[in-house]
Amino acid sequence: EIAGFQCDIYLPEGLTIAKVDDTYDIALTDRKDDHVLYSSLQSDGAVRVLSYSMTTKGYNGNSGDLFTINLTASSDYDGLGTIKISNIIVSTPQEVEYKCPDVMVNVELQNYTLGDVNNDGSVSVTDVISATNYILGSPSSNFIFEAADITGDGKIGVGDVTGIVNRVLNVGTLSAQN
């Protein structure tokens, strides 16, 4: 059982952790109980993440993500890079400390326009059909989930199809996402 952890996150050139009100946009997942999370920029450029329980409870469950990070890419970011997570330390409620090996995560980011589900450079009836096919269980190979998720709820549904239709008809205002 793990009651807390810390790690340092190194991002490739052109990627940064998004901020909300001058705080890094890093959040604990639903595996938390009464855990808190802090983060700060280190002198070597890493962002240190620290999470622990004030009652030394463990995280819920034995597997799965503990936190999420919202990344922002610069306009000149080429889309490929490696995130390094190092200095990983986990602690049990009994104060037993474990040091873990570094983790390297390859990332590939793709630019897309909200509604341009097939990423062909325009939002058209084909994107409406593509989103509908996804809902019906037969997505195309070039389907971009994030571009289809107009509502931003992590699911593709009728509201998203309606949002894509609105983009085709130029009804309402929606912004592009990268």
Side-chain angles (χ1 to χ4, degrees), residues 8-10 41-48 86-87:
D8 293 342
I9 301 170
Y10 295 87
L41 183 63
Q42 303 299 296
S43 62
D44 64 356
V47 173
R48 179 161 294 158
S86 65
N87 304 316

Short mmCIF file of all heavy atoms in Angstrom, two decimals, residues 8-10 41-48 86-87:
data_model
loop_
_atom_site.label_atom_id
_atom_site.label_comp_id
_atom_site.label_asym_id
_atom_site.label_seq_id
_atom_site.Cartn_x
_atom_site.Cartn_y
_atom_site.Cartn_z
N ASP A 8 10.04 13.63 -10.52
CA ASP A 8 10.43 14.79 -11.31
C ASP A 8 10.11 14.50 -12.77
O ASP A 8 10.44 13.44 -13.29
CB ASP A 8 11.93 15.07 -11.17
CG ASP A 8 12.30 15.53 -9.76
OD1 ASP A 8 11.39 15.96 -9.01
OD2 ASP A 8 13.49 15.46 -9.42
N ILE A 9 9.45 15.45 -13.43
CA ILE A 9 9.03 15.28 -14.81
C ILE A 9 9.84 16.22 -15.70
O ILE A 9 9.85 17.43 -15.48
CB ILE A 9 7.52 15.58 -14.96
CG1 ILE A 9 6.72 14.63 -14.06
CG2 ILE A 9 7.08 15.46 -16.42
CD1 ILE A 9 5.26 14.98 -13.95
N TYR A 10 10.53 15.63 -16.68
CA TYR A 10 11.32 16.39 -17.65
C TYR A 10 10.62 16.28 -19.00
O TYR A 10 10.37 15.17 -19.49
CB TYR A 10 12.73 15.81 -17.77
CG TYR A 10 13.55 15.94 -16.51
CD1 TYR A 10 13.48 14.96 -15.51
CD2 TYR A 10 14.37 17.04 -16.31
CE1 TYR A 10 14.22 15.08 -14.35
CE2 TYR A 10 15.11 17.16 -15.14
CZ TYR A 10 15.03 16.19 -14.17
OH TYR A 10 15.76 16.31 -13.01
N LEU A 41 8.42 23.97 -9.92
CA LEU A 41 9.54 23.95 -10.86
C LEU A 41 10.85 23.83 -10.10
O LEU A 41 11.08 24.56 -9.14
CB LEU A 41 9.52 25.23 -11.71
CG LEU A 41 10.58 25.34 -12.80
CD1 LEU A 41 10.38 24.24 -13.85
CD2 LEU A 41 10.51 26.71 -13.46
N GLN A 42 11.70 22.92 -10.53
CA GLN A 42 13.00 22.70 -9.90
C GLN A 42 14.08 23.48 -10.66
O GLN A 42 13.88 23.87 -11.80
CB GLN A 42 13.33 21.20 -9.88
CG GLN A 42 12.29 20.35 -9.16
CD GLN A 42 12.12 20.74 -7.71
OE1 GLN A 42 13.03 20.61 -6.91
NE2 GLN A 42 10.95 21.27 -7.37
N SER A 43 15.22 23.66 -10.05
CA SER A 43 16.30 24.45 -10.65
C SER A 43 16.82 23.84 -11.95
O SER A 43 17.34 24.55 -12.81
CB SER A 43 17.44 24.64 -9.65
OG SER A 43 17.99 23.38 -9.30
N ASP A 44 16.67 22.52 -12.13
CA ASP A 44 17.16 21.87 -13.36
C ASP A 44 16.10 21.83 -14.47
O ASP A 44 16.29 21.19 -15.49
CB ASP A 44 17.68 20.47 -13.06
CG ASP A 44 16.60 19.52 -12.55
OD1 ASP A 44 15.43 19.96 -12.36
OD2 ASP A 44 16.91 18.33 -12.35
N GLY A 45 14.94 22.49 -14.25
CA GLY A 45 13.90 22.54 -15.27
C GLY A 45 12.81 21.51 -15.11
O GLY A 45 11.79 21.57 -15.79
N ALA A 46 13.01 20.54 -14.22
CA ALA A 46 11.98 19.52 -13.99
C ALA A 46 10.83 20.11 -13.19
O ALA A 46 11.00 21.08 -12.45
CB ALA A 46 12.57 18.33 -13.24
N VAL A 47 9.67 19.51 -13.32
CA VAL A 47 8.54 19.83 -12.45
C VAL A 47 8.42 18.67 -11.47
O VAL A 47 8.26 17.52 -11.86
CB VAL A 47 7.23 20.02 -13.25
CG1 VAL A 47 6.05 20.18 -12.30
CG2 VAL A 47 7.35 21.23 -14.17
N ARG A 48 8.57 18.98 -10.19
CA ARG A 48 8.45 17.96 -9.15
C ARG A 48 6.99 17.87 -8.73
O ARG A 48 6.33 18.87 -8.48
CB ARG A 48 9.31 18.29 -7.94
CG ARG A 48 9.15 17.23 -6.84
CD ARG A 48 10.27 17.23 -5.85
NE ARG A 48 11.50 16.81 -6.53
CZ ARG A 48 12.71 17.09 -6.07
NH1 ARG A 48 12.86 17.76 -4.94
NH2 ARG A 48 13.78 16.69 -6.73
N SER A 86 11.71 10.88 -13.44
CA SER A 86 12.83 10.34 -12.65
C SER A 86 12.68 10.73 -11.19
O SER A 86 11.73 11.41 -10.79
CB SER A 86 14.16 10.85 -13.22
OG SER A 86 14.26 12.24 -13.07
N ASN A 87 13.64 10.28 -10.40
CA ASN A 87 13.62 10.52 -8.96
C ASN A 87 12.28 10.10 -8.36
O ASN A 87 11.70 10.81 -7.54
CB ASN A 87 13.94 11.99 -8.64
CG ASN A 87 15.26 12.41 -9.22
OD1 ASN A 87 16.25 11.68 -9.13
ND2 ASN A 87 15.29 13.58 -9.83
#
